Amino acid sequence: MTKPAARAPAPPAVAERDIRASDADRDRIAEILREALAEGRLDPEEHAERIDAVYRAKTMGELEPVVRDLPAAGGSRPQPDQGGYAHGPAAPAPDQNLVAIFSAAVRKGRWQAPARINAVAFFGSVEIDLTEAVFPQQQIQINVTALFGSVEIRVPENITLRSSGSGILGSFEVETHEAGDADAPQVHVNGYAVLGSVEAKPKRGAWIRDLRDRLREGHRELRRQVWEDHQQLRQEQREWHERHRAERRERRDRFRKGFDG
């Protein structure tokens, strides 16, 4: 009998502080610094210095010291990014119900999408727009019931969209789509339309990463504004000191003139 081949030793685990920082990690730290600036814990110059350090950081270990002395850093230290789509917090959002009876119900903009959404349209219309939503979990299930009404669903272009619904004397149209990334959010649309309509499809040009890009651009704009305010404050301080020195010289000259006279 031959002996089993010895297993190769497992590679050593990477320490948390040595893990490469993601854009989401930097954005979380920048948000802590923004709150500290608003509360007066940091002055504009300190805030600008720390923001520069945040966006130069390469690893988690370089990010941690930036907020070590701030209250928000103690209980919510940055964690490694769990994937390109993990924008939201770990706690799941509660189920959401959208009901339109002889009326309209709309949910859109930047919001935290729950794992389950129930939409009912009875002689009314429901609009669900997920193109700017935060996805705390990968699986999203939307249960729709359209009775003499309509339900319209829009999702980002780079997520998976599936359906298992049906139309009864109505239309149930879902433009199914499989994302190229296995970690992308998955939206499942189930239900039925009776003398009504259900439509779900990706919104062309809307990508889930666009939200992150806009948030990052917002942080850059905040940094620029804080820097400009700081520069203006320094200029005003210099002008005040110059006026103060000029007044002192003028008083000294008057004193000397009166003394000489």
PDB file of all heavy atoms in Angstrom, residues 194-218:
ATOM      1  N   VAL A 194     -53.672  40.300 -12.920  1.00  0.00           N
ATOM      2  CA  VAL A 194     -55.028  39.973 -13.360  1.00  0.00           C
ATOM      3  C   VAL A 194     -55.642  41.247 -13.932  1.00  0.00           C
ATOM      4  O   VAL A 194     -55.878  42.218 -13.192  1.00  0.00           O
ATOM      5  CB  VAL A 194     -55.873  39.425 -12.208  1.00  0.00           C
ATOM      6  CG1 VAL A 194     -57.291  39.126 -12.695  1.00  0.00           C
ATOM      7  CG2 VAL A 194     -55.235  38.186 -11.609  1.00  0.00           C
ATOM      8  N   LEU A 195     -55.852  41.249 -15.237  1.00  0.00           N
ATOM      9  CA  LEU A 195     -56.374  42.438 -15.921  1.00  0.00           C
ATOM     10  C   LEU A 195     -55.545  43.670 -15.545  1.00  0.00           C
ATOM     11  O   LEU A 195     -56.074  44.768 -15.385  1.00  0.00           O
ATOM     12  CB  LEU A 195     -57.848  42.654 -15.584  1.00  0.00           C
ATOM     13  CG  LEU A 195     -58.816  41.589 -16.125  1.00  0.00           C
ATOM     14  CD1 LEU A 195     -60.211  41.805 -15.574  1.00  0.00           C
ATOM     15  CD2 LEU A 195     -58.839  41.628 -17.644  1.00  0.00           C
ATOM     16  N   GLY A 196     -54.267  43.417 -15.389  1.00  0.00           N
ATOM     17  CA  GLY A 196     -53.340  44.484 -15.047  1.00  0.00           C
ATOM     18  C   GLY A 196     -51.995  44.229 -15.715  1.00  0.00           C
ATOM     19  O   GLY A 196     -51.887  43.404 -16.623  1.00  0.00           O
ATOM     20  N   SER A 197     -50.950  44.911 -15.254  1.00  0.00           N
ATOM     21  CA  SER A 197     -49.640  44.759 -15.886  1.00  0.00           C
ATOM     22  C   SER A 197     -48.528  44.827 -14.837  1.00  0.00           C
ATOM     23  O   SER A 197     -48.607  45.580 -13.870  1.00  0.00           O
ATOM     24  CB  SER A 197     -49.415  45.851 -16.940  1.00  0.00           C
ATOM     25  OG  SER A 197     -49.350  47.129 -16.344  1.00  0.00           O
ATOM     26  N   VAL A 198     -47.520  43.998 -15.085  1.00  0.00           N
ATOM     27  CA  VAL A 198     -46.285  44.018 -14.285  1.00  0.00           C
ATOM     28  C   VAL A 198     -45.135  44.104 -15.265  1.00  0.00           C
ATOM     29  O   VAL A 198     -45.046  43.300 -16.202  1.00  0.00           O
ATOM     30  CB  VAL A 198     -46.154  42.767 -13.394  1.00  0.00           C
ATOM     31  CG1 VAL A 198     -44.786  42.761 -12.716  1.00  0.00           C
ATOM     32  CG2 VAL A 198     -47.272  42.709 -12.366  1.00  0.00           C
ATOM     33  N   GLU A 199     -44.248  45.061 -15.055  1.00  0.00           N
ATOM     34  CA  GLU A 199     -43.091  45.232 -15.929  1.00  0.00           C
ATOM     35  C   GLU A 199     -41.846  45.420 -15.075  1.00  0.00           C
ATOM     36  O   GLU A 199     -41.825  46.246 -14.160  1.00  0.00           O
ATOM     37  CB  GLU A 199     -43.267  46.443 -16.847  1.00  0.00           C
ATOM     38  CG  GLU A 199     -42.099  46.637 -17.815  1.00  0.00           C
ATOM     39  CD  GLU A 199     -42.229  47.927 -18.614  1.00  0.00           C
ATOM     40  OE1 GLU A 199     -42.401  49.006 -18.004  1.00  0.00           O
ATOM     41  OE2 GLU A 199     -42.142  47.852 -19.849  1.00  0.00           O
ATOM     42  N   ALA A 200     -40.811  44.646 -15.354  1.00  0.00           N
ATOM     43  CA  ALA A 200     -39.533  44.769 -14.644  1.00  0.00           C
ATOM     44  C   ALA A 200     -38.417  44.652 -15.659  1.00  0.00           C
ATOM     45  O   ALA A 200     -38.398  43.728 -16.467  1.00  0.00           O
ATOM     46  CB  ALA A 200     -39.407  43.686 -13.577  1.00  0.00           C
ATOM     47  N   LYS A 201     -37.481  45.579 -15.600  1.00  0.00           N
ATOM     48  CA  LYS A 201     -36.358  45.541 -16.538  1.00  0.00           C
ATOM     49  C   LYS A 201     -35.226  46.410 -16.021  1.00  0.00           C
ATOM     50  O   LYS A 201     -35.433  47.305 -15.188  1.00  0.00           O
ATOM     51  CB  LYS A 201     -36.796  46.014 -17.924  1.00  0.00           C
ATOM     52  CG  LYS A 201     -37.251  47.463 -17.996  1.00  0.00           C
ATOM     53  CD  LYS A 201     -37.682  47.810 -19.414  1.00  0.00           C
ATOM     54  CE  LYS A 201     -38.126  49.258 -19.529  1.00  0.00           C
ATOM     55  NZ  LYS A 201     -38.532  49.593 -20.918  1.00  0.00           N
ATOM     56  N   PRO A 202     -33.999  46.151 -16.507  1.00  0.00           N
ATOM     57  CA  PRO A 202     -32.866  47.000 -16.125  1.00  0.00           C
ATOM     58  C   PRO A 202     -32.995  48.384 -16.743  1.00  0.00           C
ATOM     59  O   PRO A 202     -33.526  48.541 -17.841  1.00  0.00           O
ATOM     60  CB  PRO A 202     -31.648  46.251 -16.673  1.00  0.00           C
ATOM     61  CG  PRO A 202     -32.127  44.859 -16.961  1.00  0.00           C
ATOM     62  CD  PRO A 202     -33.575  44.992 -17.315  1.00  0.00           C
ATOM     63  N   LYS A 203     -32.506  49.353 -16.017  1.00  0.00           N
ATOM     64  CA  LYS A 203     -32.460  50.717 -16.532  1.00  0.00           C
ATOM     65  C   LYS A 203     -31.115  50.927 -17.207  1.00  0.00           C
ATOM     66  O   LYS A 203     -30.065  50.884 -16.553  1.00  0.00           O
ATOM     67  CB  LYS A 203     -32.651  51.730 -15.399  1.00  0.00           C
ATOM     68  CG  LYS A 203     -32.710  53.173 -15.880  1.00  0.00           C
ATOM     69  CD  LYS A 203     -32.982  54.108 -14.730  1.00  0.00           C
ATOM     70  CE  LYS A 203     -33.052  55.556 -15.209  1.00  0.00           C
ATOM     71  NZ  LYS A 203     -33.322  56.487 -14.068  1.00  0.00           N
ATOM     72  N   ARG A 204     -31.118  51.091 -18.503  1.00  0.00           N
ATOM     73  CA  ARG A 204     -29.882  51.196 -19.272  1.00  0.00           C
ATOM     74  C   ARG A 204     -29.062  52.399 -18.810  1.00  0.00           C
ATOM     75  O   ARG A 204     -29.598  53.503 -18.625  1.00  0.00           O
ATOM     76  CB  ARG A 204     -30.182  51.327 -20.762  1.00  0.00           C
ATOM     77  CG  ARG A 204     -31.014  50.177 -21.314  1.00  0.00           C
ATOM     78  CD  ARG A 204     -30.393  48.825 -21.006  1.00  0.00           C
ATOM     79  NE  ARG A 204     -31.217  47.712 -21.465  1.00  0.00           N
ATOM     80  CZ  ARG A 204     -31.014  46.452 -21.149  1.00  0.00           C
ATOM     81  NH1 ARG A 204     -30.009  46.127 -20.339  1.00  0.00           N
ATOM     82  NH2 ARG A 204     -31.802  45.497 -21.605  1.00  0.00           N
ATOM     83  N   GLY A 205     -27.802  52.153 -18.590  1.00  0.00           N
ATOM     84  CA  GLY A 205     -26.900  53.214 -18.163  1.00  0.00           C
ATOM     85  C   GLY A 205     -26.817  53.391 -16.664  1.00  0.00           C
ATOM     86  O   GLY A 205     -25.984  54.155 -16.182  1.00  0.00           O
ATOM     87  N   ALA A 206     -27.668  52.688 -15.901  1.00  0.00           N
ATOM     88  CA  ALA A 206     -27.636  52.783 -14.440  1.00  0.00           C
ATOM     89  C   ALA A 206     -26.890  51.577 -13.892  1.00  0.00           C
ATOM     90  O   ALA A 206     -27.365  50.447 -14.009  1.00  0.00           O
ATOM     91  CB  ALA A 206     -29.062  52.835 -13.874  1.00  0.00           C
ATOM     92  N   TRP A 207     -25.726  51.812 -13.321  1.00  0.00           N
ATOM     93  CA  TRP A 207     -24.895  50.749 -12.761  1.00  0.00           C
ATOM     94  C   TRP A 207     -24.808  50.927 -11.266  1.00  0.00           C
ATOM     95  O   TRP A 207     -24.737  52.051 -10.771  1.00  0.00           O
ATOM     96  CB  TRP A 207     -23.494  50.784 -13.370  1.00  0.00           C
ATOM     97  CG  TRP A 207     -23.473  50.311 -14.790  1.00  0.00           C
ATOM     98  CD1 TRP A 207     -24.095  50.892 -15.863  1.00  0.00           C
ATOM     99  CD2 TRP A 207     -22.835  49.137 -15.284  1.00  0.00           C
ATOM    100  NE1 TRP A 207     -23.871  50.173 -16.992  1.00  0.00           N
ATOM    101  CE2 TRP A 207     -23.085  49.083 -16.674  1.00  0.00           C
ATOM    102  CE3 TRP A 207     -22.050  48.147 -14.699  1.00  0.00           C
ATOM    103  CZ2 TRP A 207     -22.600  48.063 -17.468  1.00  0.00           C
ATOM    104  CZ3 TRP A 207     -21.556  47.139 -15.489  1.00  0.00           C
ATOM    105  CH2 TRP A 207     -21.830  47.092 -16.862  1.00  0.00           C
ATOM    106  N   ILE A 208     -24.796  49.818 -10.550  1.00  0.00           N
ATOM    107  CA  ILE A 208     -24.807  49.899  -9.096  1.00  0.00           C
ATOM    108  C   ILE A 208     -23.571  50.584  -8.560  1.00  0.00           C
ATOM    109  O   ILE A 208     -23.604  51.231  -7.522  1.00  0.00           O
ATOM    110  CB  ILE A 208     -24.961  48.482  -8.488  1.00  0.00           C
ATOM    111  CG1 ILE A 208     -25.327  48.591  -7.010  1.00  0.00           C
ATOM    112  CG2 ILE A 208     -23.708  47.664  -8.674  1.00  0.00           C
ATOM    113  CD1 ILE A 208     -25.707  47.274  -6.399  1.00  0.00           C
ATOM    114  N   ARG A 209     -22.458  50.509  -9.259  1.00  0.00           N
ATOM    115  CA  ARG A 209     -21.247  51.161  -8.791  1.00  0.00           C
ATOM    116  C   ARG A 209     -21.308  52.668  -8.991  1.00  0.00           C
ATOM    117  O   ARG A 209     -20.483  53.389  -8.434  1.00  0.00           O
ATOM    118  CB  ARG A 209     -20.021  50.592  -9.504  1.00  0.00           C
ATOM    119  CG  ARG A 209     -19.711  49.154  -9.099  1.00  0.00           C
ATOM    120  CD  ARG A 209     -18.441  48.669  -9.755  1.00  0.00           C
ATOM    121  NE  ARG A 209     -18.211  47.262  -9.486  1.00  0.00           N
ATOM    122  CZ  ARG A 209     -17.576  46.796  -8.427  1.00  0.00           C
ATOM    123  NH1 ARG A 209     -17.136  47.642  -7.524  1.00  0.00           N
ATOM    124  NH2 ARG A 209     -17.405  45.497  -8.249  1.00  0.00           N
ATOM    125  N   ASP A 210     -22.240  53.163  -9.790  1.00  0.00           N
ATOM    126  CA  ASP A 210     -22.363  54.598  -9.968  1.00  0.00           C
ATOM    127  C   ASP A 210     -22.618  55.295  -8.645  1.00  0.00           C
ATOM    128  O   ASP A 210     -22.169  56.407  -8.413  1.00  0.00           O
ATOM    129  CB  ASP A 210     -23.503  54.931 -10.943  1.00  0.00           C
ATOM    130  CG  ASP A 210     -23.145  54.553 -12.372  1.00  0.00           C
ATOM    131  OD1 ASP A 210     -21.963  54.268 -12.616  1.00  0.00           O
ATOM    132  OD2 ASP A 210     -24.044  54.531 -13.218  1.00  0.00           O
ATOM    133  N   LEU A 211     -23.386  54.642  -7.737  1.00  0.00           N
ATOM    134  CA  LEU A 211     -23.686  55.245  -6.447  1.00  0.00           C
ATOM    135  C   LEU A 211     -22.404  55.446  -5.656  1.00  0.00           C
ATOM    136  O   LEU A 211     -22.180  56.504  -5.084  1.00  0.00           O
ATOM    137  CB  LEU A 211     -24.654  54.351  -5.670  1.00  0.00           C
ATOM    138  CG  LEU A 211     -24.949  54.788  -4.230  1.00  0.00           C
ATOM    139  CD1 LEU A 211     -25.576  56.166  -4.199  1.00  0.00           C
ATOM    140  CD2 LEU A 211     -25.856  53.779  -3.536  1.00  0.00           C
ATOM    141  N   ARG A 212     -21.549  54.437  -5.647  1.00  0.00           N
ATOM    142  CA  ARG A 212     -20.285  54.566  -4.928  1.00  0.00           C
ATOM    143  C   ARG A 212     -19.450  55.688  -5.523  1.00  0.00           C
ATOM    144  O   ARG A 212     -18.804  56.451  -4.806  1.00  0.00           O
ATOM    145  CB  ARG A 212     -19.524  53.243  -4.971  1.00  0.00           C
ATOM    146  CG  ARG A 212     -18.154  53.325  -4.331  1.00  0.00           C
ATOM    147  CD  ARG A 212     -17.435  51.995  -4.383  1.00  0.00           C
ATOM    148  NE  ARG A 212     -18.104  50.999  -3.593  1.00  0.00           N
ATOM    149  CZ  ARG A 212     -17.669  49.746  -3.479  1.00  0.00           C
ATOM    150  NH1 ARG A 212     -16.598  49.360  -4.134  1.00  0.00           N
ATOM    151  NH2 ARG A 212     -18.329  48.874  -2.732  1.00  0.00           N
ATOM    152  N   ASP A 213     -19.434  55.796  -6.856  1.00  0.00           N
ATOM    153  CA  ASP A 213     -18.659  56.846  -7.498  1.00  0.00           C
ATOM    154  C   ASP A 213     -19.166  58.222  -7.086  1.00  0.00           C
ATOM    155  O   ASP A 213     -18.384  59.134  -6.827  1.00  0.00           O
ATOM    156  CB  ASP A 213     -18.724  56.707  -9.020  1.00  0.00           C
ATOM    157  CG  ASP A 213     -18.015  55.446  -9.503  1.00  0.00           C
ATOM    158  OD1 ASP A 213     -17.179  54.925  -8.748  1.00  0.00           O
ATOM    159  OD2 ASP A 213     -18.322  54.985 -10.609  1.00  0.00           O
ATOM    160  N   ARG A 214     -20.504  58.360  -6.999  1.00  0.00           N
ATOM    161  CA  ARG A 214     -21.055  59.649  -6.605  1.00  0.00           C
ATOM    162  C   ARG A 214     -20.720  59.970  -5.152  1.00  0.00           C
ATOM    163  O   ARG A 214     -20.447  61.117  -4.801  1.00  0.00           O
ATOM    164  CB  ARG A 214     -22.572  59.650  -6.830  1.00  0.00           C
ATOM    165  CG  ARG A 214     -22.958  59.758  -8.294  1.00  0.00           C
ATOM    166  CD  ARG A 214     -24.423  60.126  -8.448  1.00  0.00           C
ATOM    167  NE  ARG A 214     -25.299  59.107  -7.928  1.00  0.00           N
ATOM    168  CZ  ARG A 214     -25.755  58.083  -8.629  1.00  0.00           C
ATOM    169  NH1 ARG A 214     -25.392  57.928  -9.878  1.00  0.00           N
ATOM    170  NH2 ARG A 214     -26.580  57.200  -8.082  1.00  0.00           N
ATOM    171  N   LEU A 215     -20.757  58.948  -4.286  1.00  0.00           N
ATOM    172  CA  LEU A 215     -20.402  59.173  -2.885  1.00  0.00           C
ATOM    173  C   LEU A 215     -18.940  59.590  -2.767  1.00  0.00           C
ATOM    174  O   LEU A 215     -18.600  60.492  -2.004  1.00  0.00           O
ATOM    175  CB  LEU A 215     -20.664  57.897  -2.075  1.00  0.00           C
ATOM    176  CG  LEU A 215     -22.130  57.507  -1.875  1.00  0.00           C
ATOM    177  CD1 LEU A 215     -22.218  56.157  -1.172  1.00  0.00           C
ATOM    178  CD2 LEU A 215     -22.868  58.564  -1.075  1.00  0.00           C
ATOM    179  N   ARG A 216     -18.069  58.905  -3.511  1.00  0.00           N
ATOM    180  CA  ARG A 216     -16.661  59.242  -3.461  1.00  0.00           C
ATOM    181  C   ARG A 216     -16.428  60.649  -3.991  1.00  0.00           C
ATOM    182  O   ARG A 216     -15.616  61.404  -3.453  1.00  0.00           O
ATOM    183  CB  ARG A 216     -15.858  58.225  -4.261  1.00  0.00           C
ATOM    184  CG  ARG A 216     -14.361  58.399  -4.118  1.00  0.00           C
ATOM    185  CD  ARG A 216     -13.596  57.164  -4.558  1.00  0.00           C
ATOM    186  NE  ARG A 216     -13.936  56.763  -5.901  1.00  0.00           N
ATOM    187  CZ  ARG A 216     -14.547  55.612  -6.214  1.00  0.00           C
ATOM    188  NH1 ARG A 216     -14.894  54.770  -5.267  1.00  0.00           N
ATOM    189  NH2 ARG A 216     -14.817  55.311  -7.473  1.00  0.00           N
ATOM    190  N   GLU A 217     -17.143  61.027  -5.054  1.00  0.00           N
ATOM    191  CA  GLU A 217     -17.020  62.372  -5.594  1.00  0.00           C
ATOM    192  C   GLU A 217     -17.519  63.402  -4.590  1.00  0.00           C
ATOM    193  O   GLU A 217     -16.964  64.503  -4.468  1.00  0.00           O
ATOM    194  CB  GLU A 217     -17.815  62.487  -6.903  1.00  0.00           C
ATOM    195  CG  GLU A 217     -17.687  63.841  -7.597  1.00  0.00           C
ATOM    196  CD  GLU A 217     -16.263  64.145  -8.002  1.00  0.00           C
ATOM    197  OE1 GLU A 217     -15.508  63.190  -8.308  1.00  0.00           O
ATOM    198  OE2 GLU A 217     -15.904  65.335  -8.013  1.00  0.00           O
ATOM    199  N   GLY A 218     -18.576  63.037  -3.833  1.00  0.00           N
ATOM    200  CA  GLY A 218     -19.066  63.936  -2.794  1.00  0.00           C
ATOM    201  C   GLY A 218     -18.022  64.174  -1.716  1.00  0.00           C
ATOM    202  O   GLY A 218     -17.872  65.295  -1.221  1.00  0.00           O
TER     203      GLY A 218
END
